[in-house]
Structures are given as C-alpha cells and as structure tokens.
Amino acid sequence: MSLIVQKFGGSSVANAERVMNVAKIVTDTYKQGNDVVVVVSAQGDTTDDLIAKAKEINPNGSKREMDMLLSSGEQISIALLAMAIQSLGYPAVSLLGWQAGFSTNSVYSAARIKTIHKERLKTELSERKIVVVAGFQGINSKDNITTLGRGGSDTSAVAIAAALHADKCQIFTDVDGVYTADPRKVKNAKKLKEITYDEMLELATLGAQVLNNRSVEMAKKYNVELEVISSLNPIPGTIVKEVTKMEKMLVRGVTKDTQVARISLIGLDDIPGVAFKIFSKLASKNINVDIILQSVGRNETKDIAFTVSKDNADLAIESLRELPFVGEDIEIKCDTNVAKVSVVGAGMETHPGTASTMFEALYNNDINIQMIATSEIKISVLIDIKDADKAVEAVHEAFLG
Amino acid sequence: MSLIVQKFGGSSVANAERVMNVAKIVTDTYKQGNDVVVVVSAQGDTTDDLIAKAKEINPNGSKREMDMLLSSGEQISIALLAMAIQSLGYPAVSLLGWQAGFSTNSVYSAARIKTIHKERLKTELSERKIVVVAGFQGINSKDNITTLGRGGSDTSAVAIAAALHADKCQIFTDVDGVYTADPRKVKNAKKLKEITYDEMLELATLGAQVLNNRSVEMAKKYNVELEVISSLNPIPGTIVKEVTKMEKMLVRGVTKDTQVARISLIGLDDIPGVAFKIFSKLASKNINVDIILQSVGRNETKDIAFTVSKDNADLAIESLRELPFVGEDIEIKCDTNVAKVSVVGAGMETHPGTASTMFEALYNNDINIQMIATSEIKISVLIDIKDADKAVEAVHEAFLG
C-alpha cells in the first residue's frame, strides 16, 4: 500500500462535471489500496471573481483581508470534492489549510510554509479516509489565514508529500506531461518520460508553465517524486526525480518566454559601482533580472542592458530614474517586442558543442541573437518576438528532431 | 465609552454599495468613541447558490461538508466589510467563527454554541480595531467547522454581546423596528419603542420574522439589551429588554402565520394513551406541534386535531401511519388553507377581557374560529387562510386602533 498525494488545479474542478471526474480519479487510486491525500485549488475563475469584488470596494485593502477573502475559494472546492467522493460511496473529509496543519510565516499573499503539523492528516488517513486539502493556504503564528501566492497549490501538495513521506506526488494539469517543446507549436515535440528537478526548474522558469517553481525546489529539497499528468487523459505522465544515470538525450526541451522586456541604459559614465548600484536598486524593489549585457561605449561611457518580466518593466524604469547617476542625459530604452528562447538539459555542461548547434540553427533561419545567457543546464537567447516560434522549431529540430 | 455589537444580515451586504453603507454605519458608531464588534451573514443569495452547487454534485453530502461549504459565505462578506471599513480610514480586522473563539457542539448544520473563548476578541478591541466577525459559524471540539442553522448570525451576535458584556446588541434589518402588526398590511400599525423578551419570543414564533428565536432566548438568559433597527433608515428602532414597569398598552402586537397546516385524525378508539402515543411519535421526528384540539366523537371514538408547520405536514402524516392504532379505517385529513392569528402582550394574563375582545372582533367580521390556544402572553386562533388579513386588521383595530 502506497501513500499518494494528488493535486488538481482550478480548471480541473471548474464545474460539477469536472469535480465528478476528479472524484473518479481519486477513488480509482484509493480502490487500488492506496492512501490518498488530494490537494485542490479554487474552482475556475473563483479567485479572479473574488479579486474583482474586493477591488470594487477597496483597491488597496490590506493583504491580510485579501488572504481571508481568497482562501474561501479553496474552501468551496474541497467541500464539493469531498461530497463528490462521498457520492461514489467512499469516505472523504475536507480540511482547510489550518486544519491540515499548514503553519506559515506572516507574509500575506506570498507566505512560506514553515512546517506542517501532521497529526490531523495522519489521524484521518489512519481511518482510511480520502483527505481533501485546500491548497494555497495556511495560518501564521497568530492564527491569521495566509496564502502562498501564485502556484501555491502545487507547493501545498509537495509539502504534504514531503511531510508524510508520500510515495509519489501527482500534479494533474490540462497537459499530459512535460514535452521537449510546446506540442501545439512544434510538431516533433516529444513527451519526456523522466526529467531531473534542475531541468524542470529551468523549464518552469523559462515559460513551460507546467509546474510552479517553488514546488519543484521543494520537491528537490525533500526528494519528493513528482508526476505531471493529465486529469482528462489517463496515460502515464512525466516523472520528475533525481536521475542518477543520464539518458543519452542531451537536451530535454526547448522553450520560449514572450513575457519579457529588454531595458537598456545608454551612455552611463564608465566608473566603478554603476552596475552594482543598478542591480541592487532593482533587487530592493523585488524585480528579478535575467540576462545582463554590459558593453563599453564610446567617449568613456558604457551601456547596460538586461531583461525583466514585462510586468515589472515600468517599475524598473521608474526605480532606475531614482538613481543619482541616471540623469536626463541617460537614455532608457524599453523593448517589449522580444522573446527568450532556451534549450535545457542536465548533460549540457559537459558538451561544448551545444551552444554552437543552437546558434547555427538560428543563423540558418536568419534569426538575429540580441543577448545570450548560459548556465550549467541551459542556454538562453533573446531574439525578436516575431521570430520566436520559428526559433523554437529550428532549435528543436537541431537537437530533438 | 461603550461596547456595541452590530449585526447585519445578508441583504444588508448584498453588493458593494450596501457593504459601503454598512461600513458607514459601523464607523459612525466607532467615531463616537465606542468599541464595535460587527457580525455579518453571507452576501445576498450566496448561501442558496452554494447549496445549489452542492445539490448538483451530491444531494446527500454529509452535513459536515455542507457546513464546510456554507461557512465560506460569511468568510467572503467579513473580508469585504473589513476592506470597506479600511477604505474609510479606520482599522478593521475580520475573524472567522473559530478565530473569534466560537466553540460549539457537533450537531452539524444546527450546532449550539458552548462557549466563546474571548481572548482574541479582547485583544483586537484593546488595539481599538473594529472587529468584523463571521456569523452563523463555529468549530467543535475536533476543530471541524459547524454552522448554527437558520438565523444563526443573530445568535452569534447575541452570544458575543453576552460574552463581552456589551452595552447593546443592535440587529440591523430591512425594517425599522417591531410593529404592533405588519405595517404593509395594517395601516394603523404602530412601532413599539420597547418590548420584553417574552413578548418578542411570541412575536418571532408567530411569524413576525424580525428576530431569530434562539437569539432572543439567549438575550433573555444573559440579559443582553437588543435593538431592532433599520440599516437603511437611521432612526431609533425597537429595544428588546426586561421591562419592569409595564406600560399601559396591554397588547403588543397582532401577527399572522400562514405557514401552518391542520392535521385531523378522525374516529380513533377512545382508549387511554392514544394522544400520548401520537404526540411522542411526532416529537421523535422533531416535529413541533402547536394548537391541539381533542373532541369525543360518536360511537366511543374521538377525533384529534393539531397544527404543524406546512413543511412538516407530509412527514407528520407518514409518521402517524406507522402507529399500530392508526389503521386504514382512521381518516387523516390535512388542511393547509389555514392561518394562525395571534395577539401578544405581557400584561394579558391579568386581563380576562382580552379573549372576548378578540373573539368579538372576529365575530363582527364573520370570521369563523377553528381552534384556539392561549398562553400567559398570547391568544392564537386558527382561521381560514382567506380571512387572515381581515382578521389581523380587525383584531388590531379592536386593541390598538
């Protein structure tokens, strides 16, 4: 008998029919003799609807009250799923974050899980109940409700799997696994049977949008075996785990990210500390910077360019203007017509030919590279957004075609 | 400085505009230097919508899960109201039933409050926050969410007022007080400045639909001064408290209840224990019986008639048929075209003329009396439903015109 944690997102429980579908999957797993903990998100658009209600009353309500409001969404879905499981003749009990023992810090709307008090979960499982847990939420040390922020339900599921030493944590989504590229765009895209945590982290960061990053980091830390699997198509998905023996395939996937903007500062004085001050300013505003390019310009000036997410572009520019050395003579350019295309694979670092294969594929397709960034397991290039799909296709063909 | 508990029902917080209106009332009270605890119900039709969602998935979901589901309704309204108060520039904190310390028994969907752990409420008030509490809900000894059943938010408000020894508990509704009769139907209906708990209990039971009975019982037990007051019309309402000196007015109000059915058993054997067995059978099914009439019929048989609420009529008949002495020769009649009209007043018992005044008023209007019941502070008659409004008008005119 195994203990399996299953997580279902908002679209998987959007209406009565889908809730029944989830109940079917869960009870099928339970029938095979497994203990099952199910983590669910709020139904469909519930969270957006609640946010709209709040904005109408107060666009700047406290984050504590927003968390109080939003956490009601999962409360509805866990109760409905528990009732759906009961309607199939199986015992179920729903638990809110605080009932399931989720203890977090006090950063409302982006709380971190500190620990899970396992007693209640263990008691319910020992009575052979299917335990339905509200994802995305917990309580802080003062008994106030907190939420874990974007993708929080994935994190909730992995945290439970880690705490209970579950045999597997299945993340059900609307795709049937992790692909070497977006299968809607690249016809030769292949589904991966296995992938390492680090590779998955790069793919998640790079816009594969399958798994939330924090949940993968946590799975890696506690060595929780993840499976990305479809809630509509009952075939094996992709397993995310520490693979000791590398497979032959060097590159795991090719991704694009179009939610990126390039910001350039032109004509900065070429004196020490400029770059440091720019990037610590951005860090102080919680703006993540990705690819960075610094070039010495003419007349003892230099240019600095970097990428941020499109959401953060305006805030980044505003913050830069607060710096004393970014006067009116310094031009700040912002280009949102860019895309980041990346290849990811854990074996890459030992194969120096990867970069040249990628650049050749782009060159053969007349695609101009604006910026380059590399890490142990990925190579990213910034290109014009209009070339993004063509670039993914070409690079995928070169490595995985 | 006083401590005031204010309760607002679902229609008072049905949309953003009304939530802001409530925030205005609450902050006006706070501005005058008072400590304020606000108890709110779920917005408008939220509870009905949630019930519909549940029924679609499982018409027989466990009551525990129904309570989990329904309690999300107040969670939404408390968060929105707290944000509305914040938007007016005042400090507010919302608390769920369990956070506010509501400890109940385990009768899901109709739980009774056992105690209120006051620490959290006191702490928040000591920081001069306006405390917004979710009505209708609590937790049992195993940390499961319970709901208090119909009208539960009134009970929550009174319970907090009792626990904190509040100076007043204001129940805001869509009427501006308690009237001697329904002011939409009886043109001479007068608003009462004051009324005793017992009178209010009789009026509530008899269909005045202003205050939930359990809340009035609790207010009486803990001597909490209640005020029934309009959330839309800022004028003084009706105070419910123990009045020591009786006012001159003998009768406090005239009410009608059309949600009543008369059930008659015709031709029972006239042997001892028949009535006892009938009414203990109904009690075992939790069916409340009101007016009872027993008459000896012909040929050593007798007839028994009584009234129940329309909702319970089918169940009552079904239960009666289970009794061994209610064979096929016993006719069971059910009449739902009846109404109960009552006069209520605490001074009534010492004035023997009340009954005759009432009967005379009915006689003068050609209204036939089917059944009569009296208590220390009320006289009720059962009449044809078509005469109900005319009867209320006539009786009101006789006592209060």
Side-chain angles (χ1 to χ4, degrees), chain B residues 52-199:
Chain B
K53 269 185 185 246
K55 296 285 174 211
E56 194 183 352
I57 285 171
N58 184 353
N60 302 306
S62 71
K63 285 189 172 177
R64 180 197 182 275
E65 298 303 332
M66 279 304 286
D67 282 4
M68 173 68 92
L69 180 70
L70 296 185
S71 61
S72 68
E74 290 80 34
Q75 183 161 349
I76 293 170
S77 51
I78 58 171
L80 293 177
L81 179 56
M83 288 190 244
I85 293 169
Q86 289 170 351
S87 79
L88 297 177
Y90 296 91
V93 61
S94 69
L95 297 177
L96 294 164
W98 65 272
Q99 292 172 319
F102 275 81
S103 173
T104 76
N105 67 12
S106 290
V107 183
Y108 294 111
S109 87
R112 294 247 156 200
I113 300 166
K114 289 201 298 191
T115 187
I116 296 182
H117 302 286
K118 295 173 283 193
E119 297 73 18
R120 180 75 189 261
L121 286 166
K122 283 186 161 178
T123 304
E124 302 291 356
L125 287 171
S126 73
E127 295 171 6
R128 274 295 280 160
K129 285 184 195 151
I130 295 171
V131 185
V132 184
V133 176
F136 181 68
Q137 57 180 246
I139 50 169
N140 66 14
S141 60
K142 292 188 171 168
D143 279 356
N144 292 311
I145 291 177
T146 54
T147 70
L148 307 181
R150 190 177 284 267
S153 292
D154 287 355
T155 309
S156 301
V158 174
I160 289 178
L164 298 178
H165 304 292
D167 296 276
K168 194 191 276 189
C169 179
Q170 295 180 312
I171 309 287
F172 287 82
T173 77
D174 47 8
V175 297
D176 62 6
V178 180
Y179 278 74
T180 53
D182 185 338
R184 292 166 302 186
K185 300 254 172 96
V186 178
K187 65 173 180 298
N188 282 329
K190 294 176 185 68
K191 191 166 85 176
L192 297 163
K193 273 190 193 160
E194 289 184 343
I195 187 171
T196 69
Y197 297 114
D198 285 337
E199 288 169 335

Side-chain angles (χ1 to χ4, degrees), chain B residues 175-195 203 208 210 235-239 247-255 344 392-393 395-401:
Chain B
V175 297
D176 62 6
V178 180
Y179 278 74
T180 53
D182 185 338
R184 292 166 302 186
K185 300 254 172 96
V186 178
K187 65 173 180 298
N188 282 329
K190 294 176 185 68
K191 191 166 85 176
L192 297 163
K193 273 190 193 160
E194 289 184 343
I195 187 171
L203 288 172
V210 174
I235 56 170
T238 297
I239 303 283
E247 287 179 50
K248 256 193 175 173
M249 188 161 56
L250 181 69
V251 167
R252 290 292 186 176
V254 180
T255 66
V344 173
V392 170
E393 182 106 41
V395 174
H396 189 271
E397 182 64 29
F399 287 104
L400 299 152

